[in-house]
Amino acid sequence: MNVDIFETTVEIDESRIDESPAAIREQVYEYECRDRQEFDLTVTTPGGLTGEVMTAMSKIPYGETRTYGELAADLDTTPVAVGQACAHNPVPLIVPCHRVMGSDGELKGYSAANGVATKRRLLALEQGRGTKQTQLPIQE
């Protein structure tokens, strides 16, 4: 399924989430409006390193970031492997791969439309630099 946020589209594999598409869209809308800091959705992660990285990313608090290297050290792997796992996150935004950045402080890729620009906007929103949205909720 596709969800719209900040005039861009994020593709989410809804088969990995137990709740309905309507519930997912409502929570994304609340997040965009800064009325929600955590998603209350049941996500089934894939096996292997991608699932381990997704679990680690889901523990990064709202408004904070970690580097690929920090996650790699925690998971006893390499930053490149963490980056590859982030790129395979089937539920970006819900599992916040936008909170992972390079060790140099630079934002690296993001799988949603508009890539790094979308990642930058999500982080700005979470760090209080974005504007609160006033649009109507997305309808199915």
Side-chain angles (χ1 to χ4, degrees):
M1 74 181 278
N2 292 324
V3 294
D4 295 322
I5 186 168
F6 300 132
E7 301 160 359
T8 194
T9 301
V10 177
E11 186 176 337
I12 294 174
D13 180 355
E14 76 271 19
S15 73
R16 295 276 179 183
I17 300 173
D18 288 348
E19 290 74 20
S20 71
I24 296 166
R25 283 190 173 91
E26 181 63 25
Q27 288 193 29
V28 169
Y29 170 75
E30 292 167 354
Y31 168 85
E32 185 178 21
C33 291
R34 285 197 274 171
D35 292 332
R36 171 177 295 280
Q37 293 186 359
E38 294 181 16
F39 291 98
D40 185 24
L41 301 167
T42 306
V43 175
T44 302
T45 59
L49 183 62
T50 298
E52 292 174 27
V53 171
M54 288 176 66
T55 298
M57 288 188 297
S58 68
K59 295 176 183 173
I60 302 171
Y62 180 91
E64 295 184 21
T65 60
R66 300 291 183 273
T67 67
Y68 296 99
E70 289 171 326
L71 291 181
D74 290 344
L75 298 171
D76 195 29
T77 190
T78 67
V80 170
V82 169
Q84 290 171 340
C86 288
H88 290 99
N89 176 2
V91 290
L93 182 60
I94 308 302
V95 173
C97 50
H98 61 276
R99 295 179 188 154
V100 184
M101 57 192 335
S103 61
D104 58 2
E106 292 294 317
L107 300 180
K108 305 299 179 186
Y110 187 59
S111 61
N114 299 320
V116 172
T118 299
K119 188 173 191 172
R120 184 173 288 112
R121 269 189 98 174
L122 294 171
L123 290 171
L125 172 81
E126 291 185 9
Q127 295 167 354
R129 299 187 319 262
T131 58
K132 190 167 182 170
Q133 300 296 305
T134 57
Q135 65 191 34
L136 295 175
I138 299 168
Q139 301 295 317
E140 261 195 277

